[in-house]
Amino acid sequence: MLNRVIRLLFPPKCVLCGKVLEDDQTDLCTLCRVDGPDCTGRPGKLPFLDSWSAVWYYEGNARRSILRYKFYGARGNAASFGRLLAMKLSREYPEGFDLLTWVPTGWLRRLFRGYDQVELLAYAVGAELEMEPVQLLKKRRNTKPQSRITGEAQRRANVLGAYEICRAESLEGKRILLLDDVITTGATAGECARVLLTAGAKEVHCGAVARARHHGKRSR
């Protein structure tokens, strides 16, 4: 009865288009499930990452949904993003991972937003994959937002040296799942992967909610 009342007062909506969901629907309406900007494509390579995977292309309703999540307080999107990303990762990586971590937000941006959106995503994914997220990285300096920088080389320069290991736990030989919200050029995830590999990790694979369509595709 309580669940019925909650559903009537706060009906679940499609995480992409915002349409109220039917009783048998979860996270996505029928139209978005069928015609959403699903991320597919031919495998490719991103620096320092053994592979990567994303749910959608960063465009249309997916882009608007992620922007609401990052900048307009739509924290509830984390649960839907996490479920959908976890389903894709389970299909593509049946062998699993040793550790689950995330690309950390700088303290200034976290203070402004009130939360770290990728950390929330990591806990949502972890709940689905039955893995406890572990913070392996911290941001040692605040950087310019990558979205305001054009050019792959400039983006890589912006994040070079911006992250460091923050945990004494040995990473030797570990297969790590690194989460981010959006992959554009892969500069941020690649820099985090470089730090993890330098600390002894065997492999680093990146999972994201979305990726820019016009940039490099994932490698397996």
Side-chain angles (χ1 to χ4, degrees):
M1 180 64 71
L2 179 60
N3 288 336
R4 284 186 178 182
V5 172
I6 292 174
R7 191 176 181 95
L8 285 172
L9 294 175
F10 307 101
K13 297 180 180 180
C14 174
V15 73
L16 289 187
C17 71
K19 179 182 177 181
V20 174
L21 297 176
E22 302 292 338
D23 289 342
D24 60 344
Q25 295 175 333
T26 303
D27 300 321
L28 297 173
C29 67
T30 301
L31 183 62
C32 288
R33 191 172 294 278
V34 173
D35 296 331
D38 294 340
C39 182
T40 58
R42 181 180 171 186
K45 179 68 176 173
L46 289 174
F48 299 107
L49 291 169
D50 288 274
S51 73
W52 64 267
S53 181
V55 181
W56 299 298
Y57 290 117
Y58 188 55
E59 57 190 36
N61 283 335
R63 180 177 182 275
R64 286 186 283 272
S65 181
I66 292 169
L67 290 176
R68 289 194 296 270
Y69 175 56
K70 291 180 69 170
F71 301 114
Y72 298 98
R75 301 187 193 194
N77 286 8
S80 294
F81 290 159
R83 279 190 290 268
L84 293 164
L85 178 54
M87 283 192 288
K88 182 155 193 179
L89 293 171
S90 295
R91 291 194 303 268
E92 298 191 352
Y93 301 92
E95 64 276 27
F97 303 93
D98 298 313
L99 292 171
L100 167 61
T101 192
W102 66 92
V103 174
T105 300
W107 69 268
L108 186 61
R109 216 158 293 160
R110 180 168 185 157
L111 179 65
F112 179 76
R113 291 177 186 165
Y115 57 97
D116 181 334
Q117 78 279 1
V118 190
E119 181 180 3
L120 293 182
L121 176 68
Y123 277 91
V125 170
E128 298 297 321
L129 298 181
E130 298 184 348
M131 295 182 68
E132 183 70 24
V134 180
Q135 184 172 0
L136 299 178
L137 299 162
K138 68 177 180 180
K139 202 166 186 180
R140 61 195 301 180
R141 61 178 173 83
N142 291 304
T143 57
K144 295 179 181 179
Q146 291 286 75
S147 59
R148 298 181 186 175
I149 300 173
T150 57
E152 186 172 343
Q154 290 85 345
R155 282 175 175 249
R156 295 194 188 286
N158 185 50
V159 295
L160 183 63
Y163 300 92
E164 64 183 0
I165 295 293
C166 68
R167 198 175 182 90
E169 178 177 346
S170 173
L171 303 184
E172 197 68 35
K174 300 293 186 182
R175 177 180 164 90
I176 297 176
L177 172 59
L178 173 71
L179 297 184
D180 203 355
D181 49 8
V182 179
I183 297 173
T184 306
T185 63
T188 301
E191 175 62 13
C192 289
R194 184 189 67 80
V195 173
L196 293 169
L197 291 169
T198 301
K202 179 183 179 182
E203 299 176 8
V204 180
H205 304 264
C206 185
V209 180
R211 74 161 176 90
R213 186 187 288 269
H214 57 284
H215 288 287
K217 300 176 177 62
R218 63 189 177 88
S219 170
R220 289 305 302 273

